[in-house]
């Protein structure tokens, strides 16, 4: 049984679990961070939506459990393990401490927003929201370092974390659009209007712009320098491992959303905007996959049924568990009925 578990951890499915964890944590944290931004900006249009966004604090136990599970299989993720025992940053106690503690603090701040946001004074609410935003960037930056760039030893691109963070925000907005499209049939349906969808569509377009800008900056800097140990991790994920998968991600996460979202009619159509959101969500899943799996499994894979079915089961299972837990949280706290 131990040998079977070790073999599974060394397989591409283990990399898919890492990618799924980053994907789901990114969506949940983006929702909370967006609500915090709206509170700091004192925006009026998203107020009916904010309790739903902040309800993603329910993902905290799942996030911590998934991070602990990944640490169990650390030998199959981190290439630097065992080579830097004396380094302050590159050791397992530091890795576990910073990832679990920073993410836990972020979700605790999110819980304060969700449960106390309506009763706090305006200034206290702004302070709490500001700290929540700061912890969002901190948590996502650490995740991008440890489960992204640091999977390939001695690769520390300064633009990788901003690109990673904006990607999470883009996918988070897409998930919010799709969610509120479904919630139009719920008790909070009358509080959702086309203007709110238009604004969310503009947010999605803006994050799409920034995502490709940071991604291009990441690639351009290393392409221009052409230093082997710096450009090889980039080329691995773009050209050498699964180029068709990379270009599929670019089509569904950049090109199609861009040309559709610049059209006002698309942003004013719930159906069309939901379709764009689905494209971005698919592209976001591929993005996290290309960040993780080529790094932990550099040999090219054959994408047949024996590989795709377990991958789909891991991603689909994670999404279903998160949705069931979120739905139970909404019902227990009567979020949709009290808005």
């Amino acid at each position: 049984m131990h040998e079977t578990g070790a073999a599974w951890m060394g397989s591409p499915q283990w990399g898919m679990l890492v990618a799924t964890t980053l994907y789901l944590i990114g969506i949940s944290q983006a929702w909370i961070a967006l609500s915090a931004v709206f509170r700091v900006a004192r925006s009026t249009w998203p107020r009916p939506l904010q309790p739903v966004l902040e309800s993603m604090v329910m993902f905290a136990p799942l996030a911590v459990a998934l991070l602990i599970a990944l640490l169990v299989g650390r030998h199959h993720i981190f290439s630097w393990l065992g080579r830097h025992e004396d380094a302050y940053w590159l050791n397992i106690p530091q890795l576990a401490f910073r990832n679990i503690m920073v993410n836990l603090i972020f979700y605790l701040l999110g819980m304060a927003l969700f449960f106390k946001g309506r009763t706090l004074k305006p200034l206290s609410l702004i302070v709490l929201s500001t700290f929540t935003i700061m912890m969002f960037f901190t948590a996502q930056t650490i995740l991008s370092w440890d489960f992204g760039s640091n999977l390939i030893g001695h690769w520390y691109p300064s633009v990788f974390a901003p690109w990673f963070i904006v990607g999470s925000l883009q996918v988070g907005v897409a998930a919010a659009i799709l969610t509120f499209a479904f919630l139009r049939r719920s008790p909070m349906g009358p509080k959702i209007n086309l203007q709110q969808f238009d604004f969310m569509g503009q947010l999605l377009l803006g994050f799409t712009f920034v995502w490709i800008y940071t991604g291009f900056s990441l690639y351009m800097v290393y392409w221009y320098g052409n230093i082997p140990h710096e450009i090889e991790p980039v080329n691995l994920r773009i050209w050498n491992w699964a180029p068709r998968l990379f270009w599929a991600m670019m089509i569904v996460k950049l090109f199609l959303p861009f040309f559709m979202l610049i059209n006002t009619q698309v942003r004013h159509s719930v159906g069309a905007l939901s379709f764009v959101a689905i494209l971005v969500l698919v592209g976001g899943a591929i993005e996290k996959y290309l960040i993780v799996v080529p790094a932990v499994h550099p040999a090219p894979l054959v994408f047949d049924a024996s590989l795709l079915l377990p991958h789909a089961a891991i991603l689909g299972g994670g999404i279903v568990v998160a949705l069931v837990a979120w739905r139970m949280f909404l019902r227990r706290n009567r979020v949709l009925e009290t808005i």
Side-chain angles (χ1 to χ4, degrees), residues 55-332:
S55 67
M56 267 295 166
V57 296
M58 66 83 206
F59 197 75
L62 293 175
V64 173
L66 286 170
L67 288 173
I68 293 174
L70 297 185
L71 293 174
V72 172
R74 58 191 179 273
H75 295 283
H76 304 279
I77 300 175
F78 305 108
S79 60
W80 49 262
L81 198 64
R83 303 177 187 174
H84 303 278
E85 287 87 349
D86 297 330
Y88 178 77
W89 187 260
L90 295 178
N91 58 75
I92 291 303
Q94 269 287 338
L95 177 76
F97 177 79
R98 62 178 174 262
N99 278 280
I100 294 176
M101 289 304 298
V102 169
N103 284 278
L104 188 59
I105 291 172
F106 169 81
Y107 283 112
L108 289 174
L109 291 172
M111 290 179 186
L113 273 181
F114 178 78
F115 291 107
K116 301 294 183 180
R118 296 183 182 182
T119 59
L120 288 176
K121 295 180 180 180
L123 181 58
S124 300
L125 184 58
I126 290 176
V127 172
L128 176 61
S129 300
T130 302
F131 276 105
T132 303
I133 297 168
M134 293 169 60
M135 288 306 301
F136 165 75
F137 283 101
T138 304
Q140 283 286 298
T141 298
I142 289 177
L143 287 174
S144 73
W145 286 342
D146 287 333
F147 295 98
S149 62
N150 208 20
L151 295 180
I152 298 178
H154 302 291
W155 189 57
Y156 306 107
S158 58
V159 192
F160 187 85
W163 177 69
F164 185 95
I165 293 169
V166 174
S168 295
L169 288 169
Q170 182 198 20
V171 174
V173 173
I177 290 172
L178 194 61
T179 300
F180 290 119
F182 279 106
L183 290 180
R184 295 187 79 194
R185 299 181 181 180
S186 71
M188 72 169 294
K191 300 289 184 66
I192 306 175
N193 54 57
L194 290 179
Q195 186 181 32
Q196 291 167 330
F197 280 100
D198 180 34
F199 288 153
M200 286 190 289
Q202 293 180 44
L203 274 176
L204 185 58
L205 178 60
F207 284 130
T208 301
F209 271 122
V210 181
W211 180 77
I212 189 56
Y213 173 77
T214 52
F216 178 77
S217 299
L218 173 68
Y219 179 75
M220 188 65 180
V221 169
Y222 289 107
W223 174 84
Y224 186 82
N226 200 29
I227 300 174
H229 76 272
E230 292 183 345
I231 191 62
E232 286 173 2
V234 181
N235 287 337
L236 173 66
R237 293 174 165 104
I238 297 179
W239 308 113
N240 301 338
W241 195 76
R244 293 182 180 179
L245 193 61
F246 170 79
W247 287 111
M249 176 196 71
M250 295 297 288
I251 290 172
V252 299
K253 200 171 190 284
L254 172 63
F255 297 124
L256 289 179
F258 169 74
F259 287 109
M260 294 184 71
L261 290 171
I262 59 176
N263 190 329
T264 306
Q265 294 181 347
V266 172
R267 298 199 306 270
H268 288 172
S269 169
V270 177
L273 195 57
S274 299
F275 176 73
V276 177
I278 292 173
L279 292 177
V280 173
L281 287 169
V282 172
I286 299 175
E287 175 194 4
K288 294 297 188 290
Y289 185 84
L290 288 176
I291 288 174
V292 175
V293 180
V296 300
H297 197 283
L301 301 176
V302 178
F303 291 92
D304 54 13
S306 63
L307 180 71
L308 294 178
L309 288 178
H311 279 18
I314 293 170
L315 178 60
I319 293 174
V320 169
V321 170
L323 287 175
V324 170
W326 180 61
R327 183 58 181 167
M328 293 173 60
F329 185 87
L330 290 179
R331 287 183 177 179
R332 181 173 183 178

Side-chain angles (χ1 to χ4, degrees), residues 25-34 103 106-107 136 139-140 143:
I25 289 178
I27 292 176
S28 67
Q29 293 187 351
W31 277 28
I32 301 168
L34 286 170
N103 284 278
F106 169 81
Y107 283 112
F136 165 75
Q140 283 286 298
L143 287 174

